[in-house]
Amino acid sequence: DAGVTQSPTHLIKTRGQHVTLRCSPISGHKSVSWYQQVLGQGPQFIFQYYEKEERGRGNFPDRFSARQFPNYSSELNVNALLLGDSALYLCASSFRGFYTEAFFGQGTRLTVV
Amino acid sequence: AQKITQTQPGMFVQEKEAVTLDCTYDTSDPSYGLFWYKQPSSGEMIFLIYQGSYDQQNATEGRYSLNFQKARKSANLVISASQLGDSAMYFCAMRETVGNNRLAFGKGNQVVVIP
């Protein structure tokens, strides 16, 4: 079975641009969460979606938005990119909103120049 | 306030030896879950083990075991018989029901296994 897949794996953007990151959860999993991991730190929670509804939002500006599609895949959008948005963006998949396992994709490494 | 604390400096471990990674947490939620993840240099976050706050037994998964001391709010990971492939960053994380089930991560422990 395929694990959590994220695309693209690497991305370079210019300040002020917009970026869309994509995540496909494990088949049968209905919950997707997004995390940002800057160098040297643990991941920070951005969003959780369960059954296509937003169930949680972390302390991130409104430039960050996300959505979940009927097939449970998800997109993370970031507008007006700043240098500080450079990070590894991780998507986590779980069967339900209250979970005992959460599996991560390989991440998208975003560099803003 | 920091919910997960991992304060050990980078660790060097001899191959085949056991290593314990410390994790303390802070919560007032009676129902929570504790996770350990391994992150090699490639960046992917690999799920290792889970412990629920109501679980009576310490969790074990192969060479990984979790030493759960609820009263001390401690959830240390023990890796037995270290292998070279165990060299990675290790993150402790907590899920609280009051926090919309988000995972709160510590800053991680660096482990290097030497032959």
Side-chain angles (χ1 to χ4, degrees), chain B residues 9-71:
Chain B
M11 304 175 70
F12 288 91
V13 181
Q14 201 75 38
E15 196 177 5
K16 299 180 185 176
E17 296 286 309
V19 58
T20 298
L21 304 180
D22 296 340
C23 171
T24 58
Y25 59 91
D26 182 27
T27 183
S28 56
D29 188 349
S31 177
Y32 55 89
L34 296 157
F35 299 72
W36 275 94
Y37 286 89
K38 170 185 177 182
Q39 188 175 45
S41 56
S42 58
E44 63 181 311
M45 197 72 83
I46 301 168
F47 169 74
L48 296 178
I49 197 167
Y50 168 83
Q51 179 85 43
S53 58
Y54 294 119
D55 293 342
Q56 296 296 311
Q57 306 272 0
N58 284 345
T60 60
E61 287 287 347
R63 294 186 298 110
Y64 304 105
S65 60
L66 201 151
N67 183 4
F68 182 46
Q69 297 186 49
K70 194 170 182 177

Side-chain angles (χ1 to χ4, degrees), chain A residues 8 11-13 16-22 63-65 75-81 85 89 108 110 112:
Chain A
L11 203 53
I12 299 175
K13 289 286 192 178
Q17 283 189 313
H18 161 270
V19 69
T20 297
L21 310 181
R22 295 178 175 83
R63 299 184 296 107
F64 289 76
S65 64
E75 282 183 354
L76 175 70
N77 295 283
V78 187
N79 291 326
L81 285 166
D85 295 331
Y89 288 84
T108 294
L110 172 66
V112 183

Side-chain angles (χ1 to χ4, degrees), chain A residues 20-101:
Chain A
T20 297
L21 310 181
R22 295 178 175 83
C23 172
S24 293
I26 292 170
S27 178
H29 283 196
K30 300 179 180 181
S31 178
V32 169
S33 300
W34 287 95
Y35 292 80
Q36 180 196 65
Q37 186 180 22
V38 299
L39 203 60
Q41 299 292 321
Q44 295 291 316
F45 173 78
I46 311 175
F47 286 108
Q48 186 197 24
Y49 278 78
Y50 177 61
E51 287 282 18
K52 292 151 280 183
E53 290 186 4
E54 183 184 302
R55 294 299 183 95
R57 173 185 284 254
N59 189 23
F60 280 81
D62 291 344
R63 299 184 296 107
F64 289 76
S65 64
R67 54 180 175 168
Q68 187 176 32
F69 298 100
N71 66 353
Y72 301 109
S73 68
S74 178
E75 282 183 354
L76 175 70
N77 295 283
V78 187
N79 291 326
L81 285 166
L82 304 174
L83 295 179
D85 295 331
S86 295
L88 179 67
Y89 288 84
L90 294 160
C91 171
S93 156
S94 57
F95 177 66
R96 51 190 176 149
F98 184 82
Y99 48 86
T100 58
E101 295 175 317

